[in-house]
Amino acid sequence: MISSSLLVAIIMFVGDRWGGKSYLMLCGASLLTISLLFFRELPQFLWVGGAYFTLRNLHILFDWWMGKIIRLGVINNLRYQFFLPTLMAGPINRFQIFERQIARRRWDASEFFTGAERLLFGIAQVVILGGWLINQVEANISAGIFQTQNFFVVWIYSIIDWIELYFVFSGYSSIALGLSLMMGLRLEENFNRPWLAKDLIDFWLRWHITLSQWVRDYVFQPITALTRSPVIGLIAAMLVIGLWHESSVYYVLWALWQVIGIILTRLVKNMLNKNPKIHKNATKLAKLSPFYVLGWLSLANPVIAKILGLPL
């Protein structure tokens, strides 16, 4: 993390002093990305929070190149990168908002106790809901009718995994945001009731919001503007999200699965908008939307396993 932050600081210093910002930005972004992909694959290397601080450093580099932020010193960058609550599991907060919150920080008893409440709620999500409860559910399923592995059973387990992921990941986000608020800093939210999403597009606006916004700003919008194709921009954006989690063929196919779902969602929405009668009937089924979203997301696991010939 220190070396990445030093690299970004040196690039900005050299670029501001001698020019060549575009070339330096491209080299720096390539080095940061290659470092993430390489070091996290080494089993003996502890890459703590690497996926998060890499995106934060890239955010600083891109915004500096676009003129949205001025060159910042190493100390400011390290303070931003080493902010303990967000170090391990996000959110991927933006430097400008973080600095503004630092400047405005003050003691507020109500915010301190609100943060403490959010912290305790996050711990409960991780330990009780994402840990004990999910383990109980999986144990009961394993001991029940689903003792043999088949496509349907893998799908059921995939549904449970998505629910567990929400409890654990949103819980860690609540812990980070609660601790931040106790310190007088109000950072960006990371989840907004994703299981109440109206469709798959709405889901990705509610799930891991800071990652989705990062990919929107630095991948989807630039590539869409360059190629004049939202589909190409969408494919690139979902590939970045997938490979950010893990560099594997599985996550490449996972990304393409999400692209297919989003395109189908857009086509269905356009069709409904052009047919008022069908749209009126479809609105009656709106309450079932969360089940469709969860069903599509969880179906990726057994489908991709089948494609890759992995054991179910």
Side-chain angles (χ1 to χ4, degrees):
M1 183 187 299
I2 295 177
S3 59
S4 299
S5 300
L6 286 173
L7 173 66
V8 170
I10 291 170
I11 286 173
M12 289 190 290
F13 175 79
V14 173
D16 286 340
R17 189 166 186 129
W18 289 290
K21 292 176 68 172
S22 296
Y23 174 76
L24 288 167
M25 180 277 295
L26 184 60
C27 291
S30 300
L31 283 172
L32 289 170
T33 304
I34 292 170
S35 297
L36 170 64
L37 298 176
F38 177 74
F39 284 110
R40 74 177 180 183
E41 298 300 325
L42 299 179
Q44 71 274 18
F45 196 86
L46 185 60
W47 194 242
V48 177
Y52 294 95
F53 70 70
T54 298
L55 292 194
R56 292 192 192 101
N57 272 315
L58 287 171
H59 144 64
I60 291 175
L61 202 56
F62 293 150
D63 277 13
W64 165 77
W65 174 67
M66 291 185 287
K68 293 182 178 180
I69 61 174
I70 60 173
R71 173 165 55 92
L72 60 148
V74 176
I75 300 300
N76 285 346
N77 193 10
L78 289 177
R79 179 176 63 183
Y80 166 62
Q81 297 290 352
F82 274 97
F83 184 59
L84 186 60
T86 63
L87 184 63
M88 293 290 294
I92 307 167
N93 54 309
R94 300 294 176 97
F95 175 78
Q96 296 94 320
I97 296 175
F98 180 76
E99 285 295 293
R100 191 159 55 245
Q101 288 291 311
I102 288 288
R104 296 175 178 176
R105 185 175 54 156
R106 60 184 177 83
W107 165 255
D108 187 298
S110 63
E111 289 205 339
F112 177 86
F113 288 110
T114 300
E117 183 179 335
R118 183 76 181 269
L119 168 65
L120 292 174
F121 178 72
I123 293 173
Q125 276 187 285
V126 174
V127 176
I128 299 176
L129 299 179
W132 178 82
L133 180 61
I134 293 296
N135 288 336
Q136 292 298 312
V137 171
E138 289 182 338
N140 289 330
I141 289 177
S142 298
I145 60 174
F146 299 136
Q147 295 183 7
T148 59
Q149 291 287 84
N150 56 49
F151 187 93
F152 178 72
V153 172
V154 173
W155 191 4
I156 294 296
Y157 277 113
S158 182
I159 290 173
I160 296 172
D161 286 344
W162 271 96
I163 296 173
E164 177 186 13
L165 183 62
Y166 170 70
F167 284 143
V168 173
F169 197 17
S170 68
Y172 281 129
S173 293
S174 290
I175 291 171
L177 294 172
L179 284 171
S180 300
L181 195 56
M182 292 172 70
M183 298 177 186
L185 307 178
R186 187 177 291 273
L187 302 182
E188 299 96 310
E189 289 289 340
N190 220 15
F191 290 87
N192 181 22
R193 300 179 180 181
W195 300 125
L196 297 181
K198 296 178 292 185
D199 51 54
L200 198 60
I201 297 173
D202 188 33
F203 172 84
W204 285 111
L205 297 175
R206 295 166 174 261
W207 178 276
H208 205 337
I209 298 170
T210 56
L211 175 61
S212 297
Q213 290 177 343
W214 191 100
V215 172
R216 177 200 65 194
D217 293 344
Y218 302 121
V219 180
F220 175 77
Q221 290 180 347
I223 291 180
T224 299
L226 183 65
T227 63
R228 299 184 181 276
S229 172
V231 173
I232 295 177
L234 176 61
I235 292 172
M238 295 311 300
L239 281 173
V240 168
I241 291 177
L243 295 175
W244 179 79
H245 287 88
E246 181 184 295
S247 304
S248 65
V249 176
Y250 177 91
Y251 271 98
V252 170
L253 295 177
W254 178 91
L256 296 178
W257 178 266
Q258 305 309 323
V259 170
I260 292 170
I262 291 171
I263 291 174
L264 289 175
T265 300
R266 178 61 67 187
L267 291 174
V268 170
K269 290 178 73 173
N270 290 340
M271 181 189 70
L272 293 177
N273 290 333
K274 293 177 181 178
N275 297 274
K277 290 184 179 180
I278 299 177
H279 186 272
K280 184 177 180 181
N281 293 327
T283 54
K284 298 177 182 178
L285 302 175
K287 292 182 180 180
L288 298 177
S289 295
F291 296 99
Y292 140 68
V293 171
L294 180 57
W296 180 267
L297 292 168
S298 56
L299 188 58
N301 189 13
V303 168
I304 295 173
K306 275 285 187 182
I307 293 173
L308 296 178
L310 300 175
L312 292 175

